[in-house]
């Protein structure tokens, strides 16, 4: 999670909303990213999407079975859906997102019985640090 927080800080330094993600497989980090929606002019440029894309390219498979993704904030519906499609095994995230979270705040995508894959979830890891990054970022923009 500390590596994901580093990615979030780097995103903030670029003027992006400070969200970071890291994909780990077999105990090692295979991909990392921070938000790039503004810089890339891409609505899908969320940290999770970029990290999942990079991990798939690096391992040579769009299925990331057994992978864990660490994210600083609760993923949105798009990112949660991508985790299902990639067959990610585990999600670890920091802060809840009451406005757009799709793990349990607004939606419960990752454990939906209608879908063909479930993702194990651990929430609240270093949440205070993730929240502080977001609060500092948005306070500076006001």
């Amino acid at each position: 999670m500390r590596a994901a927080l580093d990615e979030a800080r780097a995103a903030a330094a670029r003027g992006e909303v400070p969200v970071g993600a890291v994909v780990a497989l077999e105990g090692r980090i295979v991909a990392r990213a921070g938000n790039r929606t503004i810089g890339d002019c891409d609505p899908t440029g969320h940290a999770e999407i970029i990290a999942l894309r990079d991990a798939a390219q690096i391992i040579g498979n769009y299925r990331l079975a057994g992978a864990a993704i660490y994210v600083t904030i609760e993923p949105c519906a798009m990112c949660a859906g991508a985790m299902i499609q990639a067959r990610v095994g585990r999600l670890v995230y920091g802060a809840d997102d009451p406005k757009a979270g799709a793990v349990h705040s607004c939606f419960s995508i990752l454990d939906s019985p209608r879908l063909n894959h479930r993702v194990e979830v651990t929430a609240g890891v270093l949440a205070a640090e993730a929240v502080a990054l977001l609060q500092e970022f948005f306070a500076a923009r006001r």
Side-chain angles (χ1 to χ4, degrees), residues 61-129:
N61 192 336
Y62 71 103
R63 299 286 195 218
L64 301 173
I69 186 165
Y70 296 79
V71 187
T72 57
I73 193 166
E74 180 181 2
C76 70
M78 174 182 67
C79 294
M83 290 173 200
I84 296 286
Q85 294 302 315
R87 305 299 192 266
V88 167
R90 183 171 181 224
L91 162 67
V92 178
Y93 75 87
D96 287 337
D97 184 352
K99 294 182 180 178
V103 176
H104 78 263
S105 292
C106 295
F107 306 103
S108 295
I109 291 173
L110 298 182
D111 61 0
S112 172
R114 293 177 170 227
L115 298 175
N116 62 347
H117 181 72
R118 306 287 178 286
V119 177
E120 177 187 335
V121 177
T122 302
V125 176
L126 300 177
E129 289 185 46

